């Protein structure tokens, strides 16, 4: 019984299973989509917390405009990530619009230029244009 007849299929040898890791490896495009998704969700959460804090009197200077801006900005980031996840170049243009809206809002509120947004937006736009050129997004 230990020998197999020629017509019998031997059991496939067990290959060592890949080590179970909590994080799978992401390529640059997937990482960018993940970052935009998380940022969008956290920005929406920040807007909601700002609203609740203002209503409960915890945050004394909570402006309704800031709450609305945070929720809209977060929603636009989330939409950008979802459109990019489908590898659609429309996500690039939604992100450009999001950055412009942020800069215009800061100017209207007379807060000056948000250099972090300019730098982050510029890097992300540059990466998206590079990915578009490589054919990663259409």
């Amino acid at each position: 019984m230990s020998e197999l007849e020629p017509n019998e299929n031997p059991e496939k040898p067990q290959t060592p299973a890949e080590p179970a890791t909590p994080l799978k490896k992401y390529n640059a495009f997937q990482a960018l989509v993940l970052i935009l998704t998380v940022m969008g969700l956290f920005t929406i959460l920040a807007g909601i917390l700002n609203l609740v804090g203002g209503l409960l009197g915890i945050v004394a200077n909570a402006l309704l405009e800031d709450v609305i801006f945070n929720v809209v900005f977060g929603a636009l980031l989330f939409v950008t990530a979802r459109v990019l996840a489908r590898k659609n170049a429309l996500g690039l243009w939604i992100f450009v619009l999001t950055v412009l809206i942020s800069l215009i809002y800061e100017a209207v509120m007379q807060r000056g230029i948000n250099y972090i947004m300019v730098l982050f937006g510029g890097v992300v736009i540059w990466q998206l244009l590079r990915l578009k050129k490589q054919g990663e997004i259409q």
Side-chain angles (χ1 to χ4, degrees):
M1 285 248 147
S2 63
E3 293 184 46
L4 295 174
E5 293 182 20
N7 292 341
E8 286 185 27
N9 291 332
E11 287 186 32
K12 292 183 181 179
Q14 293 289 335
T15 58
E18 293 181 18
T21 57
L23 298 175
K24 72 177 196 177
K25 292 185 179 181
Y26 288 96
N27 65 25
F29 178 73
Q30 291 171 328
L32 187 62
V33 169
L34 178 66
I35 289 167
L36 290 173
T37 301
V38 170
M39 282 184 59
L41 292 174
F42 278 134
T43 305
I44 291 170
L45 180 64
I48 293 169
L49 290 175
N50 201 5
L51 175 64
V52 171
L55 292 175
L56 296 177
I58 298 169
V59 180
N61 60 352
L63 297 174
L64 183 59
E65 296 88 8
D66 287 336
V67 170
I68 292 171
F69 171 75
N70 282 339
V71 171
V72 169
F73 183 73
L76 284 172
L77 285 176
F78 186 77
V79 167
T80 297
R82 297 298 89 212
V83 171
L84 284 173
R86 295 185 193 135
K87 300 191 179 206
N88 191 335
L90 178 62
L92 165 68
W93 303 114
I94 295 171
F95 185 76
V96 169
L97 176 68
T98 303
V99 171
L100 289 175
I101 287 172
S102 172
L103 295 174
I104 291 169
Y105 176 76
E106 296 296 328
V108 168
M109 296 302 287
Q110 299 177 350
R111 295 183 181 155
I113 295 175
N114 184 348
Y115 292 108
I116 293 175
M117 188 63 204
V118 171
L119 289 174
F120 176 75
V123 168
V124 171
I125 291 169
W126 171 65
Q127 287 294 319
L128 289 174
L129 288 172
R130 187 180 62 80
L131 290 168
K132 185 174 182 342
K133 186 177 179 181
Q134 292 177 347
E136 187 83 26
I137 56 177
Q138 288 87 24

